Amino acid sequence: RSQVRGSVEQGVGRVEPGMTAGGASPGRGFGRLAGPPTLIAAMVVGVWYLLSLVVLTEGQRFLLPTPQKVIQTGFLTGRNLKELLAGLVSTTTVTLVGLTLAIIIGMLIAIAMSQARWFEGTFFPYAVAIQAVPIIAIVPVIGLWMGFNFRARVLVTIIISIFPIITNTLYGLLTVDSN
């Protein structure tokens, strides 16, 4: 009892205006959160400049150009920027289509597994097997069979994402109270 009284008198546990429930002001929390990654990023860029400008000779600098040269050539040149944006649109489309199909197929399989134990016993080992095989081993086979087109890339996306969707949905369905 005296410990509680002493901590209250000292202001421990008291929330002042401008403080969060944890006791820190919002600005200090952001600094603690963003500070270390920002510091590491600055160190990486500093080492990059050091290696490029000090360690490498002028003739070797093509191996590791300075960050400003990479940004200028990669992002500020019209042709390169156009290619980057086209690749971004293509990758985003493949990702969204593949993830949408994986969610639909994975949830349907998980619902079927939760309703019929024989279905779970039949198909779950295949889902585990697909997850156990490294995707880097499957991609060349899919590329040989289907070509390296949009459909093949969507299939790889589905293979990567369907197992966690099946297992998490099945776990959620099986742990829900039956009432």
Side-chain angles (χ1 to χ4, degrees), residues 1 41 58 71 166 170:
R1 202 165 158 182
E58 187 69 38
I71 290 172
I166 291 172
L170 182 61

Side-chain angles (χ1 to χ4, degrees), residues 114-165:
S114 72
Q115 298 299 315
R117 293 284 182 207
W118 67 268
F119 192 81
E120 179 182 358
T122 303
F123 288 100
F124 197 71
Y126 292 109
V128 171
I130 287 174
Q131 184 66 23
V133 176
I135 195 67
I136 197 79
I138 298 174
V139 170
V141 175
I142 292 172
L144 288 173
W145 286 344
M146 300 177 67
F148 294 97
N149 55 19
F150 180 80
R151 287 183 11 206
R153 292 167 53 204
V154 167
L155 179 62
V156 169
T157 305
I158 292 171
I159 291 171
I160 291 171
S161 58
I162 198 164
F163 180 75
I165 293 169

Side-chain angles (χ1 to χ4, degrees), residues 7-141:
S7 64
V8 170
E9 290 171 0
Q10 294 171 1
V12 177
R14 191 172 51 191
V15 178
E16 306 253 344
M19 294 177 70
T20 62
S25 65
R28 283 189 7 195
F30 179 76
R32 283 185 180 165
L33 185 65
T38 304
L39 181 64
I40 294 296
M43 288 172 53
V44 167
V45 170
V47 168
W48 185 355
Y49 269 113
L50 177 75
L51 290 173
S52 182
L53 296 175
V54 177
V55 175
L56 297 177
T57 65
E58 187 69 38
Q60 296 174 325
R61 213 160 279 151
F62 71 94
L63 295 170
L64 186 65
T66 60
Q68 68 201 35
K69 181 136 176 110
V70 170
I71 290 172
Q72 180 182 3
T73 304
F75 298 108
L76 302 178
T77 303
R79 187 174 137 253
N80 291 341
L81 182 61
K82 186 177 178 182
E83 286 183 38
L84 282 173
L85 292 177
L88 177 66
V89 168
S90 172
T91 302
T92 303
T93 304
V94 166
T95 303
L96 291 176
V97 170
L99 186 58
T100 301
L101 290 174
I103 289 170
I104 293 168
I105 295 167
M107 288 184 75
L108 289 175
I109 290 172
I111 290 168
M113 286 181 177
S114 72
Q115 298 299 315
R117 293 284 182 207
W118 67 268
F119 192 81
E120 179 182 358
T122 303
F123 288 100
F124 197 71
Y126 292 109
V128 171
I130 287 174
Q131 184 66 23
V133 176
I135 195 67
I136 197 79
I138 298 174
V139 170
V141 175

